[in-house]
Amino acid sequence: MRLGMTQWSHNSWQRVFYPSGTKSGERLARYAEVFNSVEGNTTFYASPSHATVANWKAATSDAFSFTFKFPQPVTHQMMLRHSDEMVSEFITLMQPLHERIGLWKIQLPAAFGPENLPDLKRFLSAMPKGFKLGVEVRHLAFFAKGEEERALNAMLMELGANRIIMDSRPVFAVPPDTDALVDAQQKKPKVPVHAISTAETPMVRFIGDPTLERNDKFFANWLKKIPVWINEGKTPYLFIHTANNDEAPQLAARYYEKLCEHITLPPLAPLIPEQPNSSQMNLL
C-alpha cells in the first residue's frame, strides 16, 4: 500500500519529524525516508518550474510514488473542456517524474454534475495509455446511490479510473473549538463516505480531528477495508490530513501501526530520526 500526507513541507513538523538543521529544500528527502507517497497539491495552484521537477526527482527514489493534481484551470475553470493544450503542457512538464507518479488526480468542483459526465469520459479516454487516474467528485448527486452515481461508477470501472474517497467525518463530528477546526469545517467537503473501488489503486483521503484518539472510531472500517483491497491484489493509497496538518505524521503512523495488526506490511521508519550521540561525537 501507499501511505502519505498532503504535503511534505510543514513548518510545525520541525519539532517532531525533521532532524535538527533540516533545510526547507531537504524536507522531501526526509519525508521520503518514512512515507512512500505524497499528495502533490502544489500543481493544482501553480505549475512548477523544470528545475523544481528535477529537484523532486533527485530527492526521491523509484520506490516513492507521487500523486499530482491537474491544474485548477483545467478542472475548475474549464471543467475539463477545451483544455487539451494546457493538459499536454502539464503532462510534458512532469515527464521526468512519470515513472514515479502513482496516480494522476482529477479533483472536480461541486458544480461538476451528472450533465458533465460526457466531458469526464472524453477527458479520461484521452489520457496517455498506462496513466493511473483518480477522480474526486463533490456533486451530491454522485453520493445519492441513484442512477447518476451508478453511471459515474460504471464509467470509471469501464475506463479503469479510480474513484477517490473523501472521509471528512472526523472534522464535522466535533464542535469547531479551535481555529483549525473552524477553517476545516468551512473549507472541507461534507459528503457521504462510499468505500467503493472502481480500479486497481483506490485512494482514501482521511481528514482527521487534531485530537488523535477521537479519530479511531471513524478509521475502524478502513482497518477492515484496506486489507481486503490488498488481498485482492490492489494497491490502496491512504493520505492522512488533520485540520491544520500539524498532527498528520503522528496520525498516519498511528493508523499504519493499526493496519499492521490486520495485515502484514513493512515496518514504518521512526517519525523522530535518531540524533547523533553528542558524547560520542565529542570523543571522536
Side-chain angles (χ1 to χ4, degrees):
M1 66 169 291
R2 295 288 180 173
L3 175 72
M5 293 170 288
T6 60
Q7 56 194 131
W8 60 74
S9 183
H10 194 62
N11 288 338
S12 69
W13 298 350
Q14 196 71 41
R15 303 187 305 273
V16 297
F17 187 53
Y18 304 125
S20 176
T22 300
K23 299 176 182 178
S24 60
E26 300 168 340
R27 289 178 174 180
L28 176 56
R30 164 58 190 160
Y31 175 99
E33 291 176 358
V34 179
F35 300 103
N36 61 5
S37 190
V38 71
E39 187 179 355
N41 287 319
T42 58
T43 53
F44 182 71
Y45 299 103
S47 293
S49 67
H50 291 282
T52 296
V53 173
N55 289 339
W56 291 346
K57 182 175 183 179
T60 57
S61 71
D62 288 338
F64 191 81
S65 179
F66 292 91
T67 72
F68 285 116
K69 289 183 183 179
F70 278 94
Q72 187 177 31
V74 171
T75 56
H76 285 56
Q77 297 170 18
M78 299 178 182
M79 301 275 277
L80 305 184
R81 297 178 180 174
H82 314 300
S83 59
D84 293 356
E85 183 177 353
M86 183 174 289
V87 169
S88 179
E89 290 174 355
F90 177 65
I91 289 174
T92 301
L93 172 65
M94 304 303 291
Q95 195 280 330
L97 285 172
H98 279 192
E99 297 301 317
R100 294 184 191 167
I101 298 178
L103 209 62
W104 296 81
K105 184 175 177 181
I106 304 158
Q107 184 183 77
L108 298 169
F112 195 99
E115 69 279 8
N116 302 109
L117 284 182
D119 297 315
L120 177 59
K121 185 171 185 178
R122 182 200 63 79
F123 189 89
L124 295 174
S125 300
M127 285 295 103
K129 186 177 181 180
F131 274 26
K132 293 181 179 178
L133 305 167
V135 178
E136 182 181 306
V137 292
R138 298 190 176 185
H139 194 288
L140 291 180
F142 295 133
F143 297 88
K145 297 186 177 181
E147 287 299 323
E148 294 92 345
E149 182 171 10
R150 285 191 285 273
L152 168 68
N153 292 338
M155 183 184 70
L156 295 177
M157 290 178 184
E158 175 191 350
L159 298 175
N162 301 273
R163 179 168 178 176
I164 295 171
I165 304 160
M166 171 78 75
D167 189 349
S168 60
R169 294 173 298 165
V171 295
F172 290 102
V174 294
D177 52 9
T178 67
D179 290 343
L181 281 170
V182 169
D183 186 65
Q185 290 187 11
Q186 291 175 346
K187 294 180 179 178
K188 301 299 183 185
K190 187 179 182 181
V191 294
V193 180
H194 292 178
I196 181 173
S197 173
T198 59
E200 298 305 305
T201 50
M203 179 196 287
V204 178
R205 299 179 64 202
F206 186 86
I207 306 177
D209 181 337
T211 304
L212 301 189
E213 60 272 12
R214 293 197 303 211
N215 296 290
D216 289 355
K217 63 181 179 181
F218 298 104
F219 199 79
N221 286 340
W222 298 118
L223 292 176
K224 301 175 183 177
K225 188 57 138 178
I226 290 174
V228 168
W229 285 336
I230 294 173
N231 285 328
E232 290 174 348
K234 298 182 178 183
T235 304
Y237 282 68
L238 173 62
F239 290 116
I240 300 292
H241 316 224
T242 59
N244 58 11
N245 281 324
D246 286 356
E247 308 83 0
Q250 297 94 314
L251 190 60
R254 179 186 182 91
Y255 288 136
Y256 190 79
E257 290 173 1
K258 289 183 178 293
L259 280 167
C260 288
E261 297 173 5
H262 294 259
I263 192 167
T264 301
L265 295 168
L268 197 68
L271 287 187
I272 303 176
E274 292 186 9
Q275 300 292 339
N277 186 298
S278 58
S279 60
Q280 185 178 24
M281 292 296 288
N282 288 336
L283 289 174
L284 294 174

